[in-house]
Each structure stands twice: as C-alpha cells, then as structure tokens.
C-alpha cells in the first residue's frame, strides 16, 4: 500500500529567514530614521556613533559629541537587560524573552510614532537604541548561523566569506546557500534604510508606524511558537 505523507506547516522559529528579514528591515529603517530625523545619530550602528563621538571630540564640538553618548549607554543597558531576562531566576516572569523584547520594542516605537516633532531627540533616540539592543540580543541566528539584525558589517563579511568558500576550490553548495542568506539580509538592511530615510523626511516621527507594522508581522509569525522557551 502506498502511503502519502501530508506536509504540515510548522510554526516559524525565531531563527527563521522570514523573521530575520523582517527584523533586519526594521533595523535599517531605525538607523535611517534617527540619522535623518534626529541629529545624525544612529539608533543601532554603535560603530558609527563611536566614530562620530571621536571625530566631534577631536574637533572640540562638545555639543555634537554628547549627542552620541546616550544611545551608546542605552544600547549597553539594553543588551544587559536582554541577557538578564534569560537567567533562570527570571524565567518565571519571562516565559519567552525574545517575544517579550519584541513586544516591548513594538510598544515603544508605537508611542514614539505619536510624539510631536518637537519632542527632544536626546530622549527618543536612546529609547530606540535600548529596544533595538534588546532585539539584537534576542534574535541572534538565521537557522544555525549567527547574524546581526541591527547592523550589517558582519553580515556582509559572512556573505563574502561564504561566496569565497563556494567559488574557490571544490564547489560547496552549503557555502553558496550561506552567501545567499547573508546577502539577502544585507539587502533587507539596505531596503529598510532607503524606506526609513524616505519616510522620515516626509512623515517625521509618524514614520515609526512603518517599523511597528514590520515588527508586528514578525511577532505574528512567531506567535504560534510562543510557548517555546
């Protein structure tokens, strides 16, 4: 007797490509949002903030230098708290830390979307850096491969390294697949930055409704799998 296996659709995990693409799209958007709309400060790219902090300090432009310090501090605190949520003593309060971090990010960005354009950037940008850091620390892999959802330098390096391994010497299909995955992630970040810059110029803080929708889509993809710790 021939047995027919019926395929069923399983819930997406936090390591799926679909979720990674959405989170990276949001990451690129938020960096463009804060840079274009809030004083040339990055929400996610701490390398950029540290470089600009050094440049403005060397020029003795203390006002501009100071603008880059709060997001760096907020990012550090966000990473710390995201990891604290995974400690055994806090597990009973946060059954699924990644979804909790994602939910907090959605709530904060939604509140930010309603803020007037006169709201101080020195408060809004560190808040975005904080929730972005929590996202970055909670979603760290595409499948089994480590990646970064809020910065793209490491992802670009991984893509080129995998492409090299797939083309030099024996052909390696797995390396080509890795190059494709990280290449797509880099494109998502670029697309997010393009949309973020375009929307921020026209919508100002209301542009944050766009990453809210993107992150809600990621949350909905993960929700059926929410009981997985």
């Amino acid at each position: 007797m021939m047995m027919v296996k019926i395929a069923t659709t399983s819930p997406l995990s936090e390591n799926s490509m679909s979720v990674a693409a959405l989170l990276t799209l949001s990451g690129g958007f938020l960096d463009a949002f804060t840079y274009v709309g809030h004083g040339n400060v990055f929400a996610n790219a701490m390398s950029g903030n540290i470089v600009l902090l050094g440049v403005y300090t060397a020029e003795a432009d203390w006002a501009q230098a100071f603008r880059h310090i709060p997001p760096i501090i907020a990012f550090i605190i966000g990473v710390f708290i995201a990891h604290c949520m995974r400690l055994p003593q806090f597990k009973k309060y946060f059954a699924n830390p990644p979804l909790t971090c994602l939910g907090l990010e959605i709530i904060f960005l939604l509140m930010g979307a309603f803020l007037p354009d006169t709201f101080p950037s020195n408060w809004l940008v560190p808040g975005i850096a904080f929730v972005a850091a929590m996202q970055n620390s909670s979603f760290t892999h595409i499948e089994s491969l480590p990646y970064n959802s809020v910065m793209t330098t490491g992802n670009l390096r991984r893509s080129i390294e995998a492409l090299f391994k797939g083309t030099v010497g024996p052909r390696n299909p797995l390396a080509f697949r890795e190059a494709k995955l990280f290449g797509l992630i880099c494109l998502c970040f670029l697309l997010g930055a393009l949309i973020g810059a375009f929307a921020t110029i026209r919508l100002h803080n209301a542009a944050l409704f766009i990453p809210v929708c993107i992150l809600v889509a990621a949350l909905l993809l993960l929700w059926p799998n929410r009981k997985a710790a």
Side-chain angles (χ1 to χ4, degrees), residues 186-206:
C186 291
L187 288 176
C188 285
F189 193 89
L190 173 60
L191 179 60
L194 288 171
I195 297 172
F198 183 86
T200 303
I201 292 170
R202 289 157 179 80
L203 301 176
H204 306 288
N205 287 343

Side-chain angles (χ1 to χ4, degrees), residues 9-221:
T9 303
S10 60
L12 291 180
S13 75
E14 62 193 60
N15 299 342
S16 70
M17 178 61 196
S18 298
V19 172
L22 290 169
L23 297 181
T24 308
L25 191 65
S26 173
F29 186 105
L30 293 176
D31 256 346
F33 171 80
T34 56
Y35 190 85
V36 171
H38 293 276
N40 298 339
V41 179
F42 293 106
N44 304 320
M46 294 302 118
S47 297
N49 283 334
I50 291 172
V51 168
L52 292 173
L53 173 61
V55 169
Y56 288 126
T57 300
E59 295 175 349
D61 189 344
W62 308 116
Q64 286 297 326
F66 177 78
R67 295 174 67 88
H68 297 275
I69 296 176
I72 295 172
I73 295 174
F75 196 90
I76 293 170
I77 296 172
V79 172
F80 184 83
I81 292 179
H83 281 277
C84 283
M85 292 170 65
R86 293 180 177 271
L87 294 176
Q89 57 265 42
F90 295 112
K91 273 287 189 179
K92 59 182 178 180
Y93 302 110
F94 306 105
N96 193 311
L99 287 191
T100 301
C101 291
L102 189 57
L104 290 174
E105 184 176 14
I106 291 169
I107 292 170
F108 182 86
L109 295 180
L110 184 60
M111 292 189 299
F114 287 102
L115 292 175
D117 298 340
T118 55
F119 189 83
S121 298
N122 287 339
W123 289 100
L124 179 59
V125 176
I128 295 175
F130 174 78
V131 294
M134 294 182 72
Q135 172 195 304
N136 188 37
S137 297
S138 300
F139 299 88
T140 58
H141 287 73
I142 309 173
E143 299 174 358
S144 61
L145 304 170
Y147 87 113
N148 195 311
S149 64
V150 299
M151 290 171 269
T152 197
T153 303
N155 298 330
L156 181 60
R157 175 183 59 81
R158 290 291 300 268
S159 180
I160 301 306
E161 286 177 349
L163 184 62
F164 177 83
K165 292 175 184 177
T167 55
V168 176
R171 291 178 61 86
N172 186 341
L174 293 179
F176 272 120
R177 185 171 186 276
E178 182 177 340
K180 179 181 177 181
L181 285 175
F182 282 97
L184 288 173
I185 286 297
C186 291
L187 288 176
C188 285
F189 193 89
L190 173 60
L191 179 60
L194 288 171
I195 297 172
F198 183 86
T200 303
I201 292 170
R202 289 157 179 80
L203 301 176
H204 306 288
N205 287 343
L208 288 176
F209 283 117
I210 296 174
V212 166
C213 292
I214 294 171
L215 294 175
V216 166
L219 184 65
L220 292 175
L221 288 176

